[in-house]
Amino acid sequence: MAKIVVAGRADCPYYAKAELLGDRLQKNLPDFKLHKILKTPEEWEDWLSETCQQRGWNHQKSPLIWRELIDRGGKGVLIGGANDFQEYASGYYGLSSDLLSSDMRKIAEENQQTKIEVDEEEKLLKSQSNPLHVCITNASSGVSYGMINTIAQGDVFGKTTEVSLHLLAADDRLDYLEGTEMEALDLAQGLLREVIVTSNTHQAFSDCSVILLLDEIPCEPDCEKSTWLQKNAEYFSNYAKIINEVAKPNVKVMLAGEGPVNFNVFMMLQNAPDIPRQNFVGLSRLTENHAKAIVSNQLKVNSDDVVDVIVWGNSYDAHYVDLSNARVHNYDGAVWGPPSFSRPVLEMLHDDKWVGEEFPSLVKQRKAEVQEKLGHPATMSRAAAITTMVGHWWNGSPSGQMFSLAVVSEGWYGVPEGLVFSYPVTLNPKGYWNVVQDINLTEPMKAKINDTVQDLLSEKYVMFPPPKAPTPPPTAEAVPSTDGGEADSVQFKSSEQLITLEESEKETSVTKDGEETAE
């Protein structure tokens, strides 16, 4: 598919010529897509200079025309001006423009007047609008790309909530993000008020009510885990400080990239003292969805029919996927009921060996298996897991169901307070999560949960080592008398009470043979 961008001054006759030729190509060719950028004469010079500088082009007049490499990313391919575009269209598609100069000037005047009116309308609309500012980091990733339309059409924050989308990426990915911005605007979604593309973290987080962190710090094969965790700690602590400084005071922050999610949430909590700590969470939904898909395949139902699967512990590494409370709807069994009717998953599986041995391995291998089949990272499922979870966090989760979310512990189920741990939660329409606290845990389940606690503590201790254990008190022992015999009363030393002896001018001790020696 070809995507051509035609940019120019609103009063430029040659822009009008290129625009109409592009319209003609788009109308007649199903795989041709046109995007227009129209600037006022006052805006044009600065915009042209900045664009050419970023993309490494040398072009000094209106219009500026290039082809976006939407199939493989990159800076795009410069076509040139109106005459260059005419040659391009004639050579590739056999079409050309026969527009007269007088018509070109007339259309240019109309373009300029329309631009003035549209800008005034947009300015008035923005003054009356109060959009929700949402930031996505690592926004040049496929996961981010898969989320934008869902957010823009109101499936996440509601059908009446306008959104200002902030896309943050490194400098060398800004060209790609500009293409993403153009495509987002081409969606023509009424709720997408604006798209801001930036590599400046302060600008990206400024005034945001929701921040979705998709960043990941690759762990090189020869890198020790402690070193990798330290890199993550520095990176996400810096994020937290900026969020604390410039974002909304009640901003909701979800970490949803690859890597030690729980650890990174924990580090952000230490560096954002002004943000409520319950507003930092980590994504567990993708692992939960993996488990649901595996169970649904075993039971021959839709994965959405499997509910109340719990992911305990570390979202990234050592976690325990619990089916003890899971239920299945629409199962083709001996007992039927209305759509709300469900049966316990474990009863329907009735295979303890599969549940105890095969199922955990299948969940652990799911991501790698999907990526091997695809030949690239599984971005669609992660994007869906994020947008669904954020939608539940913002609007409330379905009644009667619980979901998994990594949140800061207050001591629930014996997990140390302050540790970030994946729990079963429900979410209410006011934007709060609540940990489900009435799960009955068997001793084997408690042991598995404790294993995940120890794993998370080992990560925490990389940055916050535990205090050294106090020196154990000496064993209580009888104190001999000074004359070599037994004391009339036995005195004891302990950590609670230190009893010193009244001694003579010269301290004495007793050898094994009972002889006094001076110290």
Side-chain angles (χ1 to χ4, degrees):
M1 176 182 286
K3 180 172 182 177
I4 301 298
V5 182
V6 178
R9 287 172 45 137
D11 61 347
C12 174
Y14 294 98
Y15 170 83
K17 181 178 182 179
E19 174 195 24
L20 290 179
L21 179 56
D23 286 340
R24 186 178 171 193
L25 289 168
Q26 183 168 244
K27 182 179 179 180
N28 290 283
L29 301 172
D31 291 333
F32 186 96
K33 193 170 184 181
L34 179 69
H35 181 81
K36 305 174 187 178
I37 299 176
L38 192 60
K39 297 293 180 180
T40 63
E42 295 76 21
E43 299 170 327
W44 172 250
E45 295 299 334
D46 289 341
W47 182 90
L48 177 64
S49 175
E50 183 179 348
T51 300
C52 289
Q53 183 177 3
Q54 287 179 353
R55 294 173 178 263
W57 295 338
N58 182 18
H59 189 85
Q60 300 176 350
K61 58 185 179 180
S62 174
L64 171 67
I65 304 168
W66 73 91
R67 178 182 175 180
E68 282 290 326
L69 302 176
I70 60 175
D71 55 342
R72 55 188 182 276
K75 294 185 176 182
V77 177
L78 177 65
I79 295 175
N83 291 335
D84 300 308
F85 182 47
Q86 174 123 328
E87 291 179 11
Y88 176 90
S90 178
Y92 274 91
Y93 306 111
L95 293 176
S96 60
S97 172
D98 53 2
L99 199 64
L100 299 176
S101 298
S102 57
D103 292 331
M104 290 165 53
R105 286 192 292 270
K106 183 177 180 181
I107 294 171
E109 292 173 3
E110 293 174 355
N111 279 343
Q112 185 172 15
Q113 184 60 36
T114 301
K115 175 64 176 173
I116 293 170
E117 293 173 1
V118 168
D119 284 353
E120 287 297 324
E121 260 182 48
E122 186 71 18
K123 186 177 179 181
L124 177 61
L125 194 59
K126 284 186 176 181
S127 68
Q128 297 172 342
S129 172
N130 185 27
L132 182 74
H133 290 260
V134 178
C135 177
I136 303 175
T137 69
N138 191 18
S140 61
S141 67
V143 178
S144 172
Y145 187 87
M147 294 164 55
I148 291 174
N149 187 48
T150 306
I151 293 173
Q153 65 188 9
D155 290 346
V156 179
F157 301 106
K159 297 296 186 181
T160 60
T161 303
E162 294 183 335
V163 172
S164 170
L165 196 58
H166 301 205
L167 302 180
L168 174 66
D171 285 332
D172 61 355
R173 300 299 292 162
L174 287 183
D175 291 326
Y176 177 85
L177 272 193
E178 288 176 0
T180 303
E181 175 192 4
M182 291 187 293
E183 191 164 11
L185 297 175
D186 288 346
L187 294 171
Q189 299 285 6
L191 295 176
L192 186 59
R193 179 52 50 211
E194 64 178 346
V195 179
I196 297 172
V197 169
T198 182
S199 60
N200 184 300
T201 310
H202 284 79
Q203 181 185 9
F205 293 160
S206 181
D207 208 32
C208 281
S209 296
V210 179
I211 298 175
L212 307 176
L213 302 178
L214 308 184
D215 304 82
E216 54 189 75
I217 310 296
C219 184
E220 303 298 334
D222 58 345
C223 180
E224 293 186 3
K225 185 176 181 181
S226 59
T227 303
W228 179 54
L229 289 173
Q230 289 168 357
K231 290 180 180 179
N232 276 269
E234 181 180 358
Y235 188 91
F236 286 94
S237 295
N238 183 56
Y239 265 176
K241 292 171 185 176
I242 298 172
I243 290 171
N244 192 71
E245 178 185 347
V246 303
K248 292 280 190 183
N250 202 37
V251 61
K252 287 178 166 55
V253 181
M254 174 177 284
L255 279 77
E258 300 280 0
V261 170
N262 296 52
F263 173 80
N264 292 336
V265 174
F266 176 81
M267 290 308 306
M268 294 190 77
L269 288 171
Q270 316 311 310
N271 292 278
D274 300 329
I275 309 294
R277 65 180 193 165
Q278 66 268 22
N279 284 21
F280 288 89
V281 302
L283 184 73
S284 301
R285 180 69 69 90
L286 184 58
T287 302
E288 178 187 312
N289 287 349
H290 286 165
K292 289 179 177 179
I294 292 165
V295 170
S296 68
N297 182 64
Q298 193 77 357
L299 295 177
K300 309 305 178 188
V301 296
N302 190 290
S303 57
D304 187 53
D305 291 328
V306 180
V307 299
D308 294 348
V309 173
I310 303 171
V311 178
W312 299 92
N314 191 338
S315 302
Y316 167 72
D317 194 1
H319 48 254
Y320 165 48
V321 181
D322 175 15
L323 299 180
S324 63
N325 292 272
R327 298 175 290 115
V328 58
H329 295 265
N330 300 318
Y331 178 65
D332 187 13
V335 181
W336 277 77
S340 59
F341 177 73
S342 65
R343 301 296 303 277
V345 161
L346 291 180
E347 288 184 15
M348 300 303 100
L349 289 170
H350 52 77
D351 187 342
D352 293 342
K353 183 178 179 181
W354 185 88
V355 172
E357 297 178 12
E358 293 185 45
F359 172 68
S361 297
L362 290 171
V363 174
K364 188 175 182 179
Q365 298 165 6
R366 180 74 175 190
K367 173 186 167 185
E369 183 181 357
V370 172
Q371 291 188 174
E372 182 180 358
K373 297 286 187 183
L374 288 172
H376 60 77
T379 57
M380 180 170 59
S381 56
R382 183 175 291 275
I386 297 168
T387 53
T388 305
M389 190 70 243
V390 174
H392 287 170
W393 194 10
W394 195 262
N395 304 299
S397 56
S399 177
Q401 292 187 34
M402 55 186 169
F403 300 88
S404 306
L405 186 65
V407 301
V408 60
S409 173
E410 293 187 7
W412 303 295
Y413 298 99
V415 177
E417 185 174 352
L419 203 64
V420 176
F421 197 82
S422 180
Y423 282 110
V425 302
T426 59
L427 304 105
N428 66 39
K430 293 184 179 180
Y432 298 100
W433 51 260
N434 298 286
V435 171
V436 179
Q437 300 182 48
D438 58 354
I439 305 295
N440 292 320
L441 301 177
T442 64
E443 289 305 316
M445 293 167 66
K446 290 178 182 178
K448 291 176 181 178
I449 289 174
N450 184 61
D451 287 343
T452 71
V453 170
Q454 297 307 313
D455 182 67
L456 287 168
L457 285 174
S458 70
E459 293 183 353
K460 172 186 172 182
Y461 291 157
V462 171
M463 301 304 297
F464 299 94
K468 292 183 178 179
T471 304
T475 305
E477 58 183 7
V479 181
S481 64
T482 57
D483 60 3
E486 291 294 325
D488 292 335
S489 60
V490 179
Q491 301 180 38
F492 295 91
K493 297 177 182 179
S494 71
S495 59
E496 297 179 356
Q497 181 181 23
L498 179 64
I499 302 177
T500 58
L501 302 176
E502 292 292 338
E503 298 180 321
S504 58
E505 232 175 49
K506 185 181 290 185
E507 294 182 339
T508 61
S509 63
V510 181
T511 67
K512 290 182 179 179
D513 296 326
E515 298 177 354
E516 292 184 355
T517 58
E519 291 184 350

